Amino acid sequence: MSIAVSASIATDHLMRFPGRFADALLADQLDHVSVSFLVDDLQIRKGGVAGNIAYAMGVLNRTPLLVGAVGADFGEYRAWLEKNGVDCSTVKISERAHTARFVCTTDDDMAQIASFYPGAMSEARDISIGELAEEHTLDLVLIGANDPEAMLRHTAECRELGIPFAADPSQQLARLDGDQSVQLIDGAAYLFTNKYEWALLLQKTGLSEEEVARKVGIRVTTLGKDGVQIVDRDGTEVIVGVVPEVNKVEPTGVGDAFRAGFLTGHTAGLSLERSAQLGSLIAVLVLETMGTQEWTLNKDDALERLTAAYGPEAAADIKPLL
C-alpha cells in the first residue's frame, strides 16, 4: 500500500534538565508561574511528526510520501529523508518562512515542557490532497499534528474522495474545539491517541467511547510503559505490552515511531497484535536514542528483542518486514 504522511516537518531543539519539574512547580502558584530551568545539554535534530513517521517507514523499507510545508532551509533535511527512502517530491517550500521549530526540555522523570513555532508549517493548508491524488496512488493518508487548517482540509478531502485516512491529532487537540475534533476523526480508518489525548478527546467532543467507536475503524491508544490498547471495528480489544528498554534517553518521537511501525505492519497484512509489537519495537529504539531520527535498525538484534518480549512466533511473523 502507498502511504502518505501529512503532518509537521520541523527541527527539534532538545534539552535535558538534571532534576524534576515537579520540584519547581507550585500547584497553588501556577496562575502566575515564572520559572527558568538551567539545562545541561542541547541537541539540534531533525524532527516533526511527519518527518519522524516517514523516516521510520523508510527504514522499514516502505517509500512513504511526505506531505507538508517547509522553509528554504530544508535542503539538508530533505537529502537525509530521501537517502532513507522517503519521497519528498510533494513537499511545499515556503518563500517567506523557516521550517518549523520544536523546543523541548526533558527532566529526569521523562516529563517534558515544550514549545512549537509553526513557521512554514502554516502553509500546509495550501496543499491539496485531491491534487496529490491525481499524480500519486494514495491508499492511506495519515493526518497528524500540523497546521490546524491543513488538518481539517486534508481530512475533509480524504472523506470526499473516499481515501482511507488515519486520524492522529495528538498535540493539536489542546488547540482544537469539540466540533473541529469531531471533524478530524469522523470516518477515520484508524484513530491514534495516547491515554491523556484519548481522555481529552472525549472531554472536548462530549462523545462517549461507544459514539467514537461508531465514527472510526480501529482505535489505537498508547499507554506509555503499560503498552498499547487496540479496539477493533467489532469491539474486540487487544492489549500489547512494550519491548523492555535498555535505557531511557529521550522520549520525543516515541509515539511517532510506534505509529510508523504499527501502520507498516498492519497495511502489510500483519494482525493488530503483531503490528503493535512491531510498533513497540520501533518505539523503544527511539526511546533509547537522542534524536527522533538517529536510531538504526539491526535485524538480528531486533529479532532477539522481539523474541524476548513476545516469543519466537511473533519474531518469525514480523521478520519479513525488518
Side-chain angles (χ1 to χ4, degrees), residues 192-244:
F192 289 98
T193 66
N194 61 30
K195 186 176 181 180
Y196 179 83
E197 292 160 356
W198 173 235
L200 182 60
L201 178 66
L202 295 178
Q203 179 192 71
K204 287 223 168 191
T205 62
L207 298 174
S208 66
E209 291 189 17
E210 293 74 18
E211 289 171 325
V212 173
R214 290 195 288 269
K215 292 182 177 294
V216 305
I218 297 169
R219 174 168 69 82
V220 183
T221 308
T222 54
L223 308 173
K225 64 181 178 60
D226 296 321
V228 59
Q229 176 195 47
I230 305 166
V231 181
D232 203 349
R233 297 175 187 274
D234 61 4
T236 301
E237 181 181 90
V238 177
I239 301 291
V240 175
V242 300
V243 175

Side-chain angles (χ1 to χ4, degrees), residues 15-17 19-22 25 104-114 250-252:
M15 292 166 280
R16 290 299 303 269
F17 172 63
R20 301 175 66 244
F21 294 143
L25 298 174
C104 181
T105 303
T106 302
D107 74 358
D108 286 343
D109 290 337
M110 295 287 112
Q112 295 183 305
I113 296 177
E250 170 61 52
T252 303

Side-chain angles (χ1 to χ4, degrees), residues 280-302:
S280 297
L281 170 70
I282 305 305
V284 80
L285 295 178
V286 173
L287 179 63
E288 296 170 349
T289 307
M290 174 56 72
T292 57
Q293 298 175 33
E294 307 300 318
W295 59 276
T296 57
L297 180 65
N298 179 286
K299 185 173 183 177
D300 291 338
D301 180 64

Side-chain angles (χ1 to χ4, degrees), residues 9 11 19 28 42 48 51 61 163 167 181 196 231 307 310 321:
I9 304 169
T11 300
D28 61 344
L42 167 64
N61 300 310
I163 300 173
S181 300
Y196 179 83
V231 181
T307 300
Y310 307 119
L321 298 183

Side-chain angles (χ1 to χ4, degrees), residues 63-74:
T63 307
L65 182 68
L66 185 63
V67 180
V70 299
D73 55 341
F74 183 61

Side-chain angles (χ1 to χ4, degrees), residues 3 43 55 82 99 293:
I3 302 177
Q43 299 284 335
Y55 170 81
E82 291 178 339
T99 301
Q293 298 175 33

